[in-house]
């Protein structure tokens, strides 16, 4: 499984249309060139050129319309959606962002029982429209419980909408904004559709200084009829969370795309730079940083694509994706930051230069862990699954690689968002037993000790209320399913075992780092600190493995891709 390379895009697609969409998109950006890409970024140019291309090729229509809504002409297929995510991220976060926000805006529409709204969305998509998701608010952020957007019932059966929304992408142009609020005088939640062109719609401002339009908007006695209502009550609440389940998956792929482009640029620069009579890529610390960045990036990709298999195979009886999805959001995006940090330490001041892609990457990679719920919010969600994942496995049929041309209907009928703590998982040891590798063996020992510590030195009631403590425990736990899925996918893709063992070199080190963090928490008990010291392990040192990964996989990426000016 190699990194995305526009010059060698030979990924598998189950049909010619999918392949054509990806190739045309790559060609659009390659024809545009880096100089034009940077000019638009620096001048904060609205990406009309890109949106015109999307409309002309009907790309959002083809990729984001479920089959049953188009009479079988399109499909919502996470195999190709993940590929498109990566491509857009590779060329720049703004292009990915308008796509991502459209996905979020479409979620409550496709999940609703409002046939008229669905028909309207299909027609708009075919015309090349973009969509928006009106969930967050200035005062409440992602605290949707406290939403202050209200619909006030009128005597004639209609409503008047009043309130504001904040951080809403695409809200300057979206004719359908899926807006979340409450029915005034009740505790009932509601999803309804607003149109940015309506006279009672006030576009207050763009909250960010970028190509994107991330709006603050207000609805001032905005008239709403039954045809505008998507859902009310518990279903509206469920659809809000289930939409985020669909959307947050994409953030990891944006990080993969951004980090991949930055990797090419960094190794191209470093390999040609000679300091003190030595090429930069011959410095031992530089080689180490490149190997670490590469293996982290490969791990991100292995985990990300395997998560889609679970999403595509999900049912009401198999909701394992509800753990793997927030890990995709929380872990893959923070790993993207780590990759950029490593590369930046290599290229140093070059990373600030205005004509590089890296300058954008270093800025934009920071956004992804903070969208669709912060890392902290997602770790708090992940911890809900710890008990059943580690201690109470169940039997499931093996999930194959899902690269088939199938409509992923379940994502728009995910059911209630309750009882997450009852979801069970298959035994993670099956994945860990697929390989016999030195660093994997060390990590398995760390997991065993970690589980023992949870039983013998559990968090106290006070510690469980301490977010700081639980976040570190959550980071440690997260590494287990992260490793599980990347191991499963490594087997599918035939990943070189030397690369895989080098991946577990950093996983062992990261687990030890979090153990040290927990050890040093003010509230840590003597027993907990004793276990933390046992958890701190040095990865297996193998100079031949390390050198092979460098010479066979990492250094050969030098010169493989450079975006033309």
């Amino acid at each position: 499984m190699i990194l995305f390379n526009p010059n060698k895009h030979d990924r598998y697609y189950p049909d010619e249309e999918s392949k054509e969409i990806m190739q045309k998109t790559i060609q659009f950006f390659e024809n545009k060139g880096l100089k034009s890409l940077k000019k638009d970024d620096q001048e904060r140019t609205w990406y009309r050129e890109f949106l015109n291309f999307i409309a002309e090729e009907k790309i959002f229509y083809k990729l984001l319309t479920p089959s049953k809504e188009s009479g079988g002409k399109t499909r919502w297929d996470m195999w190709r959606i993940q590929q498109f995510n990566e491509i857009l991220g590779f060329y720049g976060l703004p292009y990915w962002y308008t796509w991502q926000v459209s996905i979020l805006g479409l979620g409550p529409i496709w999940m609703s029982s409002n046939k008229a709204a669905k028909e309207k969305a299909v027609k708009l998509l075919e015309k090349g429209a973009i969509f928006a998701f009106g969930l967050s608010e200035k005062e409440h952020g992602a605290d949707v419980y406290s939403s202050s957007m209200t619909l006030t019932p009128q005597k004639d059966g209609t409503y008047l909408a009043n309130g504001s929304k904040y951080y809403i992408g695409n809200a300057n142009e979206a004719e359908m904004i899926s807006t979340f609020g409450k029915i005034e005088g009740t505790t009932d939640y509601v999803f309804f559709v607003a149109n940015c062109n309506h006279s009672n719609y006030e576009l207050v401002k763009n909250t960010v200084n970028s190509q994107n339009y991330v709006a603050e908007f207000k609805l001032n006695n905005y008239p709403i009829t039954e045809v505008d209502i998507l859902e009310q009550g518990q279903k509206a609440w469920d659809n809000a969370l289930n939409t985020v389940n669909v959307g947050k998956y994409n953030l990891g792929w944006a990080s993969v795309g951004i980090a991949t482009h930055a990797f090419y640029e960094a190794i191209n620069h470093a390999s040609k730079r000679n300091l003190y009579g030595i090429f930069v890529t011959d410095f031992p610390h530089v080689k180490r940083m490149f190997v670490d960045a590469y293996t982290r990036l490969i791990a991100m990709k292995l985990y990300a694509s395997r998560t889609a298999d679970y999403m595509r195979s999900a049912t009401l009886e198999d909701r394992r994706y509800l753990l793997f999805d927030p890990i995709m959001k929380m872990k893959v995006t923070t790993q993207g930051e780590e990759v950029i940090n490593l590369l930046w330490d290599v290229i140093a001041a070059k990373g600030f230069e205005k004509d590089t892609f890296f300058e954008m990457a270093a800025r934009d990679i920071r956004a992804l862990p903070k969208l669709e719920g912060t890392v902290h919010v997602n770790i708090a969600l992940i911890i809900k699954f710890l008990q059943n994942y580690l201690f109470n496995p169940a039997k499931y049929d093996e999930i194959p690689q899902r690269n088939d041309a199938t409509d992923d209907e379940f994502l728009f009928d995910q059911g209630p968002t309750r009882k997450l703590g009852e979801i069970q998982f298959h035994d993670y040891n099956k994945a860990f037993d697929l390989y016999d590798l030195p660093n994997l063996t060390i990590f398995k020992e760390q997991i065993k000790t970690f589980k023992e510590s949870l039983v013998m030195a559990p968090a106290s009631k006070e510690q469980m209320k301490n977010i700081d403590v639980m976040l570190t425990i959550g980071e440690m736990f997260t590494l287990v399913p992260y490793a599980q899925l990347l191991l499963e996918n490594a087997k599918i893709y035939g990943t070189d075992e030397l690369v895989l063992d080098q991946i577990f070199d950093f996983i062992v080190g990261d687990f030890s780092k979090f153990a040290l963090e927990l050890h040093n928490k003010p509230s840590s008990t003597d027993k907990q600190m004793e276990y933390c010291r046992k958890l701190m392990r040095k990865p297996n040192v193998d100079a031949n493995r390390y050198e092979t990964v460098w010479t066979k996989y990492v250094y050969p990426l030098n010169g493989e891709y450079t975006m033309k000016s």
Side-chain angles (χ1 to χ4, degrees):
M1 185 178 182
I2 60 171
L3 300 182
F4 170 66
N5 183 346
N7 297 330
K8 300 176 180 178
H9 188 64
D10 54 359
R11 302 276 175 88
Y12 168 78
Y13 296 103
D15 55 73
E16 282 302 311
E17 180 185 70
S18 299
K19 184 176 181 180
E20 186 178 77
I21 287 171
M22 308 305 162
Q23 290 179 332
K24 284 186 175 180
T25 304
I26 292 168
Q27 202 56 52
F28 167 83
F29 286 109
E30 291 298 320
N31 290 341
K32 184 175 179 61
L34 182 60
K35 186 175 181 180
S36 175
L37 205 70
K38 292 292 300 188
K39 182 174 184 290
D40 288 351
D41 174 70
Q42 290 158 5
E43 296 180 0
R44 301 179 298 282
T45 303
W46 176 249
Y47 25 72
R48 173 55 53 205
E49 182 185 13
F50 172 67
L51 293 178
N52 288 343
F53 161 72
I54 292 297
E56 181 181 344
E57 298 295 334
K58 301 184 186 298
I59 290 177
F60 284 10
Y61 167 69
K62 294 173 181 176
L63 295 181
L64 300 182
T65 309
S67 181
K68 66 180 180 181
E69 309 301 344
S70 65
K73 297 176 184 177
T74 62
R75 69 180 187 273
W76 188 291
D77 173 345
M78 293 302 294
W79 173 260
R80 58 185 192 171
I81 282 175
Q82 67 178 323
Q83 314 291 348
F84 196 69
N85 267 309
E86 183 181 18
I87 291 168
L88 294 187
F90 186 89
Y91 289 108
L93 190 65
Y95 307 100
W96 171 87
Y97 182 75
T98 192
W99 147 268
Q100 163 71 354
V101 175
S102 292
I103 286 174
L104 291 169
L106 286 164
I109 297 171
W110 299 146
M111 292 177 190
S112 79
S113 54
N114 188 324
K115 186 177 180 181
K118 292 179 180 181
E119 291 174 350
K120 181 179 179 181
V122 172
K123 290 176 182 177
L124 286 171
L125 278 165
E126 199 163 11
K127 286 167 49 181
I130 54 178
F131 294 75
F133 185 53
L135 187 66
S136 65
E137 298 179 0
K138 187 174 184 178
E139 300 302 324
H140 309 298
D143 178 12
V144 292
Y145 291 100
S146 303
S147 178
S148 58
M149 173 69 73
T150 59
L151 290 191
T152 304
Q154 304 299 296
K155 291 181 180 179
D156 62 358
T158 63
Y159 303 86
L160 290 179
N162 284 281
S164 65
K165 292 291 180 179
Y166 206 74
Y167 295 143
I168 311 302
N170 291 350
N172 58 319
E173 212 173 90
E175 294 181 47
M176 295 185 80
I177 303 173
S178 298
T179 308
F180 186 78
K182 291 179 180 176
I183 304 294
E184 189 178 47
T186 76
T187 57
D188 279 352
Y189 295 105
V190 61
F191 251 122
F192 62 94
V193 175
N195 188 323
C196 72
N197 297 316
H198 197 281
S199 58
N200 295 65
Y201 178 95
E202 180 186 351
L203 188 63
V204 178
K205 65 178 179 180
N206 189 353
T207 65
V208 298
N209 183 27
S210 78
Q211 287 181 260
N212 300 311
Y213 203 110
V214 186
E216 176 185 7
F217 73 80
K218 293 181 180 179
L219 301 184
N220 303 309
N221 286 327
Y222 187 108
I224 295 293
T225 66
E226 286 298 330
V227 76
D228 302 310
I229 302 290
L230 295 174
E231 292 291 352
Q232 286 183 240
Q234 183 65 41
K235 190 70 160 59
W237 172 262
D238 289 340
N239 287 359
L241 300 187
N242 287 336
T243 293
V244 173
N245 289 339
V246 175
K248 70 170 61 174
Y249 169 79
N250 301 318
L251 281 89
W253 277 111
S255 287
V256 170
I258 291 171
T260 302
H261 196 154
F263 191 100
Y264 286 126
E265 201 171 60
I267 199 164
N268 289 346
H269 169 72
S271 64
K272 295 174 179 60
R273 188 165 175 77
N274 191 296
L275 298 176
Y276 314 110
I278 302 174
F279 283 104
V280 169
T281 44
D282 288 331
F283 285 113
H285 71 291
V286 169
K287 290 171 65 174
R288 177 186 59 77
M289 287 187 282
F290 270 126
V291 169
D292 198 5
Y294 174 80
T295 50
R296 287 179 187 273
L297 192 48
I298 294 300
M300 289 162 65
K301 291 200 67 171
L302 288 170
Y303 180 86
S305 58
R306 185 60 175 156
T307 299
D309 296 339
Y310 284 90
M311 292 178 73
R312 302 197 76 192
S313 302
T315 64
L316 289 175
E317 291 72 39
D318 180 1
R319 299 196 294 162
R320 287 175 286 176
Y321 74 102
L322 290 176
L323 168 61
F324 304 144
D325 191 38
I327 292 176
M328 175 71 171
K329 154 67 182 78
M330 161 260 171
K331 189 66 182 178
V332 176
T333 60
T334 52
Q335 284 293 287
E337 285 189 291
E338 187 66 28
V339 170
I340 292 296
N341 290 341
L342 288 161
L343 298 175
W344 207 347
D345 281 344
V346 171
I347 66 173
K350 184 73 176 177
F352 293 100
E353 292 186 11
K354 66 180 182 180
D355 59 348
T356 63
F357 178 84
F358 199 96
E359 181 257 349
M360 290 194 305
R363 176 196 67 213
D364 292 341
I365 201 78
R366 315 294 168 192
L368 293 159
K370 300 165 183 65
L371 299 174
E372 271 61 83
T374 62
V375 169
H376 307 140
V377 169
N378 279 277
I379 291 180
L381 173 60
I382 287 164
I383 287 176
K384 293 178 183 290
F385 302 99
L386 181 151
Q387 184 69 28
N388 272 350
Y389 180 91
L390 290 177
F391 298 100
N392 189 26
K395 290 186 177 181
Y396 290 93
D397 292 336
E398 185 175 343
I399 298 292
Q401 183 184 59
R402 293 297 309 277
N403 56 12
D404 46 312
T406 305
D407 199 60
D408 297 327
E409 294 182 358
F410 176 78
L411 295 179
F412 302 105
D413 190 19
Q414 297 177 51
T417 55
R418 301 183 297 272
K419 300 182 179 180
L420 298 184
E422 296 181 10
I423 296 173
Q424 290 182 278
F425 302 84
H426 62 290
D427 187 351
Y428 61 85
N429 286 299
K430 290 183 178 180
F432 285 77
D433 291 342
L434 291 171
Y435 296 93
D436 181 14
L437 304 169
N439 280 311
L440 177 56
T441 297
I442 295 173
F443 185 56
K444 288 165 70 173
E445 293 167 357
Q446 286 177 309
I447 297 171
K448 182 179 179 181
T449 305
F450 176 60
K451 289 176 64 176
E452 184 180 323
S453 74
L454 294 173
V455 175
M456 303 304 294
S460 66
K461 289 182 179 179
E462 290 74 19
Q463 286 177 319
M464 291 179 72
K465 294 177 183 178
N466 186 334
I467 298 292
D468 189 39
V469 172
M470 297 311 294
L471 289 178
T472 302
I473 294 173
E475 288 275 16
M476 297 168 76
F477 166 58
T478 294
L479 280 169
V480 186
Y482 189 69
Q484 176 206 325
L485 263 62
L486 75 86
L487 283 167
E488 291 177 0
N489 222 12
K491 182 61 69 173
I492 291 170
Y493 280 98
T495 304
D496 190 327
E497 291 191 8
L498 294 178
V499 172
L500 203 54
D501 198 35
Q502 195 64 40
I503 285 173
F504 278 90
D505 179 284
F506 80 73
I507 288 178
V508 168
D510 286 357
F511 198 90
S512 298
K513 178 186 71 174
F514 294 128
L516 179 60
E517 280 186 17
L518 186 60
H519 178 281
N520 291 341
K521 297 294 182 188
S523 65
S524 295
T525 66
D526 289 342
K527 191 71 172 176
Q528 288 168 342
M529 289 190 291
E530 180 185 340
Y531 273 107
C532 285
R533 288 190 291 271
K534 292 179 182 178
L535 288 168
M536 287 182 262
R537 299 285 301 275
K538 181 179 179 178
N540 171 262
V541 177
D542 186 333
N544 289 331
R545 178 194 69 225
Y546 170 84
E547 194 63 32
T548 301
V549 172
W550 167 254
T551 56
K552 187 176 180 180
Y553 294 101
V554 183
Y555 187 74
L557 293 173
N558 166 35
E560 275 293 294
Y561 173 78
T562 302
M563 190 173 187
K564 71 175 184 178
S565 297

